[in-house]
Amino acid sequence: MVAKDSRTTAQLLAHLAEFDERRLFAPAAHPSMHSYCVHMLGLSADAANKRIRVARKAREFPAIFTAVAEGRLHLSGAAMLASHLTLENVDELLTAAARKTNGEIEALLAVRFPRQDAPTRITPVSASPELLQGPCPPKATTNQLAARPVAATHPRVTPLAPERYQVQFTMRQEMFTKLHYAQSLLGHQVSSGDLPEVLERGLDALIARLEKTKYAATDRPRPVRPRSSCNPRYVPAHVRRAVSERDGGQCTFVSVDGARCPELSSLEFDHILEVARGGEATIDGMRLRCRVAPGVAARGSH
């Protein structure tokens, strides 16, 4: 069904491209191709924009039709590539973007077409936004931040260039106050009050604490001692450290096709042989699994 959908999408793009080229929307009493797609075909404005954009570019570079029809390139990916395609790079870019996700295509374009770093700024959400910059931005009041309701948005991370990312999210007043305070505390170390460096130092401290709690990570491990708990589900610290390092902090479940689960969060230390059957919390007897990996949910967490 997915393969059929890809072929149908490519056919639709080809028809839209021809319809647009002949301006057949005019005798259909529509002022533009966009109007025809929205009012006659019933597409949403976003869906119409994306399909028209890709259809026009595919008419210029027919290899796009083939890539979409064969399922090597999804519609969103084709729309992301559209403005970057030229006669010189079309084949190389389509090959590089084959079967990649939106995020992977964004990263691919960031490497080949790097953009400048985004400016550091904090903008209060209010009727009259005020730009806050510098090491000690003015303190925003709760009333300022709640001056008008704002639709919930998801945080967004956008690749700009190799190893450079733009991050956008909305923070509460409490977080803003903590951020300002952290800037003040780091004033003698981060003289510019650079927000990315402040946040990176905070993440370093958080990661170290979480790794210590979850994986018993430490720079000074103690000698291995005899088991101190009679609970068969208890996993000693040295076992957690060794297993997390061996498994790379990733779920170890592998499908029948040989694909390893990519999950990095919600991981648990799982007994390879169930405890009820004599499984022990040893390095060779444990593995990392996510909650939805077959067998884990039935046995429960460890």
Side-chain angles (χ1 to χ4, degrees):
M1 292 176 68
V2 171
K4 182 178 180 180
D5 181 65
S6 296
R7 293 192 296 271
T8 302
T9 298
Q11 292 171 355
L12 173 61
L13 291 175
H15 280 78
L16 290 177
E18 187 67 17
F19 200 90
D20 181 42
E21 178 68 17
R22 299 185 186 187
R23 298 180 61 81
L24 296 180
F25 53 81
H30 287 278
S32 66
M33 190 64 190
H34 181 271
S35 174
Y36 179 85
C37 287
V38 171
H39 299 290
M40 190 69 181
L41 301 185
L43 299 179
S44 69
D46 289 341
N49 286 336
K50 184 180 296 184
R51 283 159 178 76
I52 293 171
R53 182 182 183 188
V54 174
R56 288 172 175 170
K57 185 60 65 170
R59 186 175 179 86
E60 182 180 357
F61 302 113
I64 296 176
F65 290 132
T66 304
V68 172
E70 294 178 352
R72 291 185 283 111
L73 183 65
H74 47 73
L75 189 63
S76 294
M80 294 168 65
L81 293 174
S83 61
H84 300 283
L85 295 175
T86 65
L87 285 173
E88 291 73 23
N89 68 18
V90 58
D91 292 333
E92 188 269 336
L93 271 183
L94 290 180
T95 299
R99 305 194 184 283
K100 283 184 167 52
T101 65
N102 280 356
E104 291 170 335
I105 293 177
E106 280 187 332
L108 172 73
L109 293 176
V111 172
R112 288 166 170 74
F113 308 97
R115 292 178 285 171
Q116 293 183 342
D117 287 358
T120 299
R121 63 183 182 182
I122 301 178
T123 306
V125 180
S126 62
S128 301
E130 177 184 359
L131 190 63
L132 305 180
Q133 299 188 47
C136 295
K139 184 175 181 179
T141 65
T142 303
N143 291 334
Q144 281 181 302
L145 296 179
R148 62 183 174 87
V150 179
T153 57
H154 295 289
R156 177 166 177 77
V157 179
T158 305
L160 297 178
E163 301 183 4
R164 310 293 291 181
Y165 300 86
Q166 175 182 346
V167 180
Q168 179 180 355
F169 64 93
T170 301
M171 70 177 78
R172 302 189 307 273
Q173 173 66 51
E174 293 82 355
M175 181 179 177
F176 176 81
T177 302
K178 293 175 184 177
L179 183 59
H180 187 191
Y181 184 47
Q183 286 179 297
S184 300
L185 292 175
L186 287 171
H188 63 292
Q189 300 179 47
V190 187
S191 58
S192 64
D194 186 48
L195 283 181
E197 185 169 350
V198 172
L199 292 175
E200 184 174 5
R201 286 173 179 249
L203 287 174
D204 287 341
L206 176 63
I207 289 172
R209 188 176 70 181
L210 293 177
E211 287 183 339
K212 182 177 181 179
T213 301
K214 189 173 183 64
Y215 299 133
T218 178
D219 295 331
R220 301 163 64 180
R222 297 178 181 178
V224 178
R225 297 178 179 179
R227 189 181 186 88
S228 59
S229 174
C230 60
N231 182 359
R233 297 183 183 279
Y234 171 75
V235 183
H238 74 280
V239 173
R240 283 184 283 158
R241 285 194 294 270
V243 171
S244 62
E245 181 177 355
R246 181 197 66 202
D247 295 345
Q250 179 180 339
C251 178
T252 58
F253 179 75
V254 178
S255 71
V256 294
D257 297 326
R260 181 176 176 180
C261 176
E263 185 61 43
L264 301 176
S265 62
S266 300
L267 300 180
E268 300 176 353
F269 289 98
D270 180 57
H271 286 78
I272 296 176
L273 178 65
E274 294 88 341
V275 172
R277 297 184 178 182
E280 297 182 353
T282 62
I283 295 175
D284 292 334
M286 302 297 297
R287 61 190 173 187
L288 285 179
R289 285 289 178 88
C290 68
R291 290 181 176 272
V292 299
V296 173
R299 292 195 293 271
S301 62
H302 300 280

